Amino acid sequence: MWVQREIRLRPRPRGFHLVTREVLEGIPELGDVNVGLLHVFIRHTSASLTLNENASPDVRDDFEAYFNATVPEDARYWTHTVEGPDDMPAHIKASVLGPSLSLPVAGGRLALGTWQGIYLCEHRDHGGPRSLVATLSGE
Amino acid sequence: MWVQREIRLRPRPRGFHLVTREVLEGIPELGDVNVGLLHVFIRHTSASLTLNENASPDVRDDFEAYFNATVPEDARYWTHTVEGPDDMPAHIKASVLGPSLSLPVAGGRLALGTWQGIYLCEHRDHGGPRSLVATLSGE
Amino acid sequence: MWVQREIRLRPRPRGFHLVTREVLEGIPELGDVNVGLLHVFIRHTSASLTLNENASPDVRDDFEAYFNATVPEDARYWTHTVEGPDDMPAHIKASVLGPSLSLPVAGGRLALGTWQGIYLCEHRDHGGPRSLVATLSGE
């Protein structure tokens, strides 16, 4: 069984955002899969997806602080600066965190740990809506 | 063909640990797959999985040293500190390295390179046992 | 439907290289898949794969500059130095960026965003040819 759906995420401010519910609502066929995998892919190079703590909002704030400190906008080695100071750091962050998640499905549900949630990582100041492709396979 | 198994890893000290053999023993059906993929997923947000050099233990020590230097426990921007100084750095490391591996299967075996082994990356001081979900698909 | 192919990439200098076309030429069966996933895996621990901007070469130069600054060859904590100063940093970069990509397939083509291309990330000074395993599944 293969199902593929496009999921459109509304614009978010720069930072890390919990989107587990939106992803699940975008691929309701997941309820029919007993054993399988859900692949979620972001079709952009300046935003990314990751899995992390779904409870405390300060964890998501600390992600933003950490990545801003570690991938600084004012580093002297950037040469690709035509699209603004947030652009090249956004590309780096996107590759460090990655463009996709593969998640196990068991008994019609994601088999995540208790504390795991899907983050949209918006690395641009004004990233606009973001497009995901969800691909579900299993039986 | 779809098979899914839970694999329980015994507690390990903070650091990087080779667990290839334990993972393979946990999903013996891999021997029946001619072409496919093995997906290994960790159900935690303060430990992760990666693939790296399976020979020298000093490579794994250097991973621990690098990530401790790069994601410092005493950074002044952490706000999520209620669970101890190792907690928020553990969340960051977990997302940088990622919660899953997808590995090709060929002729009943993982089609890894000669030097590739599966690391459990334990980012907490006292992480306890860790739970994996192994999902095997193929023909 | 499952297809698996080995793809041999010619030696590249240290740095980030667009290889989307070579990957696609190596797995022509992708044109027969209506809905599916392409998994591309690198069988090495000192090179990696990522997805990023496929237009400006200066983005790829900035990736090289960023990772050299962030994973320095002369860090005093390296102990695994027998294979040269570029070796241990290469292992770290390989795990940060990751050994594989899973990409959605729709209507016989990769469902990538307009600006997304596959990078071979060559982290060694003289890495030699690199071997990929491409695994295609779908219907």
Side-chain angles (χ1 to χ4, degrees), chain B residues 57-106:
Chain B
D58 50 4
V59 171
R60 302 194 291 279
D61 291 343
D62 286 2
F63 264 81
E64 178 66 11
Y66 171 78
F67 280 98
N68 289 340
T70 309
V71 193
E73 296 199 350
D74 60 357
R76 59 188 164 64
Y77 44 74
W78 302 133
T79 63
H80 181 78
T81 53
V82 288
E83 294 174 62
D86 61 325
D87 181 59
M88 194 57 225
H91 289 310
I92 298 284
K93 295 169 184 174
S95 275
V96 168
L97 289 163
S100 70
L101 291 171
S102 287
L103 305 172
V105 179

Side-chain angles (χ1 to χ4, degrees), chain A residues 85-99:
Chain A
D86 61 325
D87 182 59
M88 194 57 226
H91 289 309
I92 298 284
K93 294 169 185 173
S95 275
V96 168
L97 289 164

Side-chain angles (χ1 to χ4, degrees), chain B:
Chain B
M1 170 194 170
W2 287 87
V3 180
Q4 197 169 61
R5 298 246 171 238
E6 184 161 353
I7 300 172
R8 192 101 169 150
L9 298 178
R10 60 178 164 77
R12 253 75 173 202
R14 178 168 162 170
F16 291 74
H17 306 276
L18 258 184
V19 296
T20 313
R21 194 184 323 182
E22 274 167 273
V23 169
L24 291 176
E25 287 172 356
I27 184 105
E29 296 86 350
L30 196 138
D32 304 328
V33 172
N34 193 37
V35 179
L37 290 170
L38 174 65
H39 180 260
V40 191
F41 178 78
I42 193 162
R43 300 179 74 208
H44 305 272
T45 61
S46 59
S48 56
L49 298 172
T50 196
L51 211 63
N52 220 289
E53 218 253 49
N54 58 14
S56 310
D58 50 4
V59 171
R60 302 194 291 279
D61 291 343
D62 286 2
F63 264 81
E64 178 66 11
Y66 171 78
F67 280 98
N68 289 340
T70 309
V71 193
E73 296 199 350
D74 60 357
R76 59 188 164 64
Y77 44 74
W78 302 133
T79 63
H80 181 78
T81 53
V82 288
E83 294 174 62
D86 61 325
D87 181 59
M88 194 57 225
H91 289 310
I92 298 284
K93 295 169 184 174
S95 275
V96 168
L97 289 163
S100 70
L101 291 171
S102 287
L103 305 172
V105 179
R109 303 181 57 162
L110 289 182
L112 302 182
T114 310
W115 304 105
Q116 290 180 309
I118 302 172
Y119 287 13
L120 166 69
C121 317
E122 175 55 73
H123 304 305
R124 295 300 309 262
D125 292 342
H126 305 285
R130 297 299 196 172
S131 166
L132 308 181
V133 180
T135 306
L136 178 67
S137 57
E139 64 181 17

Side-chain angles (χ1 to χ4, degrees), chain A residues 101-125:
Chain A
L101 291 171
S102 287
L103 306 171
V105 180
R109 304 181 56 163
L110 290 181
L112 302 182
T114 311
W115 304 104
Q116 290 181 308
I118 301 173
Y119 287 13
L120 167 70
C121 318
E122 176 55 74
H123 304 305
R124 294 300 309 261
D125 292 342

Side-chain angles (χ1 to χ4, degrees), chain A residues 37-79:
Chain A
L37 289 169
L38 174 64
H39 180 260
V40 191
F41 177 79
I42 193 162
R43 300 179 73 209
H44 305 273
T45 62
S46 58
S48 56
L49 298 173
T50 196
L51 210 65
N52 220 288
E53 217 254 47
N54 60 13
S56 310
D58 51 4
V59 170
R60 301 195 291 280
D61 292 343
D62 285 2
F63 264 81
E64 179 66 11
Y66 171 78
F67 280 98
N68 289 341
T70 308
V71 193
E73 296 199 351
D74 61 356
R76 60 190 162 64
Y77 44 74
W78 301 133
T79 63

Side-chain angles (χ1 to χ4, degrees), chain C:
Chain C
M1 171 194 172
W2 287 87
V3 180
Q4 198 169 60
R5 298 246 171 238
E6 184 162 354
I7 300 172
R8 192 100 170 150
L9 298 178
R10 60 177 164 77
R12 259 58 176 214
R14 177 167 162 169
F16 291 73
H17 306 276
L18 256 185
V19 296
T20 314
R21 195 185 322 181
E22 274 168 272
V23 169
L24 291 175
E25 287 172 357
I27 184 104
E29 297 86 351
L30 195 139
D32 304 328
V33 173
N34 193 39
V35 178
L37 290 170
L38 175 64
H39 180 261
V40 191
F41 178 79
I42 193 161
R43 301 179 72 209
H44 304 272
T45 61
S46 59
S48 56
L49 298 172
T50 195
L51 212 63
N52 220 288
E53 217 252 32
N54 59 14
S56 310
D58 50 4
V59 170
R60 301 194 291 279
D61 292 342
D62 285 2
F63 264 82
E64 179 66 12
Y66 171 77
F67 280 99
N68 289 340
T70 307
V71 193
E73 296 198 350
D74 60 356
R76 60 190 162 63
Y77 43 74
W78 301 133
T79 64
H80 180 77
T81 54
V82 289
E83 294 174 62
D86 61 324
D87 181 61
M88 194 57 225
H91 288 309
I92 298 284
K93 294 169 185 174
S95 275
V96 169
L97 289 163
S100 70
L101 291 171
S102 288
L103 306 171
V105 179
R109 304 180 58 160
L110 290 181
L112 302 181
T114 311
W115 304 104
Q116 290 180 309
I118 302 172
Y119 287 13
L120 167 69
C121 318
E122 176 53 74
H123 304 306
R124 294 301 308 261
D125 292 343
H126 305 286
R130 296 299 196 173
S131 167
L132 307 182
V133 179
T135 305
L136 178 67
S137 57
E139 62 181 18

